[in-house]
Amino acid sequence: AKLEISYLSMIDGTGKEILAGKEDNVKVVELDVWFANEKAIVCSVPKDGEDDPLSGDGSNVLFFVAEENLDEELEKLRAA
């Protein structure tokens, strides 16, 4: 399965918004999904010319975990 994520901005660990720029500058990332349920998603960023998406050092593998208290966890990461 595939997952496509597009975004105009993101929030860094200090709470600062980083803009992608103009609307025609929207960032798009396409991911291969290997596992997904209500608690976690395992994806990989496709590598050009690679048949095995899990080869190498794993730097292209993303693991998303559901967070019940997202605001609280983000607040812990903020720079004081």
Side-chain angles (χ1 to χ4, degrees):
K2 298 276 187 190
L3 172 66
E4 184 177 280
I5 299 173
S6 60
Y7 60 94
L8 292 170
S9 68
M10 68 174 89
I11 307 297
D12 72 8
T14 65
K16 180 180 175 186
E17 183 177 23
I18 301 168
L19 300 174
K22 300 176 185 173
E23 194 165 319
D24 60 334
N25 233 3
V26 173
K27 303 294 183 183
V28 177
V29 179
E30 188 172 292
L31 305 171
D32 293 323
V33 179
W34 300 102
F35 173 82
N37 68 14
E38 64 277 353
K39 296 189 183 225
I41 302 173
V42 179
C43 301
S44 65
V45 178
K47 294 185 200 176
D48 291 332
E50 281 286 333
D51 290 333
D52 181 3
L54 302 179
S55 67
D57 63 2
S59 62
N60 66 317
V61 177
L62 302 170
F63 179 58
F64 299 95
V65 180
E67 179 56 61
E68 291 182 24
N69 299 309
L70 183 59
D71 288 334
E72 183 180 314
E73 292 301 315
L74 289 173
E75 191 59 39
K76 288 179 189 177
L77 297 173
R78 303 256 194 274

